[in-house]
Amino acid sequence: AQSVTQLDSHVSVSEGTPVLLRCNYSSSYSPSLFWYVQHPNKGLQLLLKYTSAATLVKGINGFEAEFKKSETSFHLTKPSAHMSDAAEYFCVVSNVGDRDDKIIFGKGTRLHILP
Amino acid sequence: SQTIHQWPATLVQPVGSPLSLECTVEGTSNPNLYWYRQAAGRGLQLLFYSVGIGQISSEVPQNLSASRPQDRQFILSSKKLLLSDSGFYLCAWVRAGANVLTFGAGSRLTVL
């Protein structure tokens, strides 16, 4: 069985400061991990994905995430926040192709950017 | 190219009425199909997924059901809606063996 926990439901940072959105996962198999973003009244967009290649994954809009197996974490970071980053972010774990086709979302973290 | 269609986009239904939300995918074959519900503060909750025609896996026991009558069609149904069924329902697909989801535009259901 797999699950994903996003440790913060809301995160507020000032524009120009670093962003850290935390995610921990559990999985019976070697998981694939993703971050999706949902802007207000918009659909879900894939930010980045980890599928057992490099542990540091770079995504769109300057975001990146590091897979740490020992900590079962996949935290999302960005060096400098922009106002347009205000959105809801979802961490996702998947075992598709490994006898289990579920794709599980975390409960989301709403990122607020302060001017 | 692949596209995913979901309808209706918006639905207002009384308690106790039936529900049918439809999702179709074009431009691919044998996709994995998923129904999620998004409610405030609860993220995206996986409701059902299907890896083939007639194959439905249910994640959340409730008064909803799903069917896959054709390879690229996925239907979410209820015989009697509850107030708690209100939410934003999203259909998604992945290529078999892959794991990046592509979402439909969603269906917003309000049960009164």
Side-chain angles (χ1 to χ4, degrees):
Chain A
Q2 68 249 43
S3 66
V4 59
T5 302
Q6 290 183 244
L7 297 158
D8 306 294
S9 57
H10 292 265
V11 169
S12 295
V13 302
S14 297
E15 191 174 20
T17 64
V19 175
L20 170 64
L21 305 184
R22 298 181 294 166
C23 172
N24 287 97
Y25 71 92
S26 68
S27 176
S28 303
Y29 312 110
S30 297
S32 295
L33 294 158
F34 308 80
W35 279 96
Y36 283 81
V37 61
Q38 187 178 33
H39 287 90
N41 300 313
K42 295 282 181 68
L44 283 140
Q45 181 182 21
L46 178 68
L47 264 183
L48 50 80
K49 63 178 180 178
Y50 164 78
T51 54
S52 78
T55 55
L56 182 62
V57 182
K58 294 188 184 299
I60 62 172
N61 300 335
F63 284 94
E64 61 182 39
E66 186 171 8
F67 173 70
K68 292 187 176 180
K69 187 175 181 178
S70 61
E71 298 176 11
T72 60
S73 69
F74 191 56
H75 301 333
L76 182 70
T77 59
K78 182 173 180 177
S80 177
H82 191 272
M83 294 300 290
S84 61
D85 294 328
E88 189 152 23
Y89 293 78
F90 296 96
C91 184
V92 179
V93 62
S94 163
N95 287 119
V96 171
D98 264 331
R99 296 181 286 174
D100 181 342
D101 292 283
K102 290 185 233 181
I103 301 177
I104 303 296
F105 279 68
K107 292 189 176 181
T109 299
R110 188 164 293 280
L111 177 62
H112 305 271
I113 310 297
L114 307 173
Chain B
S1 63
Q2 301 93 354
T3 55
I4 178 169
H5 301 281
Q6 195 178 332
W7 70 92
T10 306
L11 197 58
V12 180
Q13 292 284 99
V15 169
S17 64
L19 171 73
S20 181
L21 300 178
E22 190 161 342
C23 173
T24 60
V25 180
E26 296 178 359
T28 188
S29 59
N30 195 31
N32 285 6
L33 296 169
Y34 300 79
W35 276 112
Y36 290 89
R37 178 170 59 200
Q38 185 173 25
R42 297 191 63 184
L44 270 73
Q45 182 184 30
L46 178 61
L47 301 176
F48 302 95
Y49 65 97
S50 170
V51 300
I53 296 173
Q55 300 178 59
I56 307 295
S57 297
S58 174
E59 286 299 296
V60 184
Q62 54 198 339
N63 67 317
L64 297 173
S65 62
S67 61
R68 185 168 177 176
Q70 300 180 46
D71 180 44
R72 290 170 290 173
Q73 185 184 29
F74 203 25
I75 298 171
L76 183 70
S77 303
S78 174
K79 292 182 179 177
K80 287 187 177 182
L81 283 168
L82 306 172
L83 286 174
S84 57
D85 292 324
S86 293
F88 190 52
Y89 289 81
L90 288 155
C91 180
W93 76 276
V94 298
R95 193 177 69 249
N99 48 27
V100 177
L101 288 161
T102 300
F103 284 90
S107 298
R108 185 163 300 281
L109 170 66
T110 303
V111 182
L112 301 174

